[in-house]
Amino acid sequence: MSRSANPFRYFNSSPEIIRLAVMMYVRFPLSLRNVEDLLFERGIDVCHETVRFWWNRFGPMFASEIRRQRVSRMRGFRHWRWHLDEVFVKINGERHYLWRAVDHEGEVLESYVTKKRDKAAALAFLKKALKRHGRAESIVTDGMRSYPAAMRELGNLDRREVGRWLNNRAENSHLPFRRRERAMQRFRRMKSLQKFASVHASFHNHFSQERHLVDRQTYKLRRSAALAEWQSLVA
């Protein structure tokens, strides 16, 4: 990459340190001060506000690059089943909703934040997911009425599936985000919630190796490959 296009050109810290700090903060349920202390133990003296600036500046850029690479690799594969679900998130004491679309392998496809949980919100969320990822053969939802109302308008109501345990895939996908939310002591603005949810989803997709489904050796190989790919981002 040429110097004029290098996103780290105005920073005194090396790209390796910036990548490490951003990965630690987004991937693991750590506070900014936790990351500062862990970096200090490695001989890296930075302020927690520097870590905050780095994640805000480079987190979306890293997430965008991860999405671009994964989309190009998965272009020939069909997302034959989606799982949709929504969870409430408090912002300054006010309830908001985080909508998520997950495919049959646990890949987080889309995250979308709204103030309401009605047909209009469901329709906006579905349009965003369909525009980026195309159509799925089937879409699993819970019994909330906003889903069939929105899907009827989109003309894919016949693809909807509803069942008591069918949507466990989406329910389980919320757990890493919930752990991260507690460490951050909730969010202050809708915009910051949308930004972090999107970045966190990309990081989780990249580093999630489904270790419970493979043997130890396969897991280690996949983990090493994911870390090597991460270290080459925006190099």
Side-chain angles (χ1 to χ4, degrees), residues 7 59 63 71 75 96 103 122 135 188 196:
V71 167
R75 198 172 301 254
H96 291 68
D103 73 3
R135 293 188 176 274
R188 304 294 184 271
F196 190 87

Side-chain angles (χ1 to χ4, degrees), residues 164-200:
R164 186 174 182 182
W165 292 291
L166 284 179
N167 218 20
N168 284 352
R169 175 70 74 179
E171 296 286 350
N172 293 335
S173 76
H174 296 311
L175 298 180
F177 179 81
R178 284 300 199 190
R179 287 193 292 268
R180 195 65 196 79
E181 180 192 17
R182 287 194 294 271
M184 295 180 71
Q185 298 181 353
R186 303 190 183 278
F187 297 89
R188 304 294 184 271
R189 294 184 301 164
M190 233 179 115
K191 182 178 179 180
S192 62
L193 170 58
Q194 177 67 68
K195 179 178 179 180
F196 190 87
S198 299
V199 172
H200 182 270

Side-chain angles (χ1 to χ4, degrees), residues 9-62:
R9 63 187 180 277
Y10 298 126
F11 293 82
N12 294 326
S13 299
S14 68
E16 291 75 17
I17 292 176
I18 294 175
R19 287 195 197 95
L20 176 61
V22 174
M23 181 189 70
M24 292 171 68
Y25 180 65
V26 179
R27 182 185 176 191
F28 302 108
L30 300 171
S31 69
L32 294 167
R33 288 174 174 80
N34 290 153
V35 175
E36 177 185 348
D37 292 342
L38 289 172
L39 291 175
F40 182 76
E41 290 179 4
R42 300 186 179 205
I44 304 169
D45 185 13
V46 297
C47 174
H48 68 278
E49 290 296 342
T50 301
V51 177
R52 186 199 304 276
F53 179 78
W54 285 348
W55 112 253
N56 275 288
R57 175 72 175 267
F58 294 103
M61 183 180 68
F62 292 152

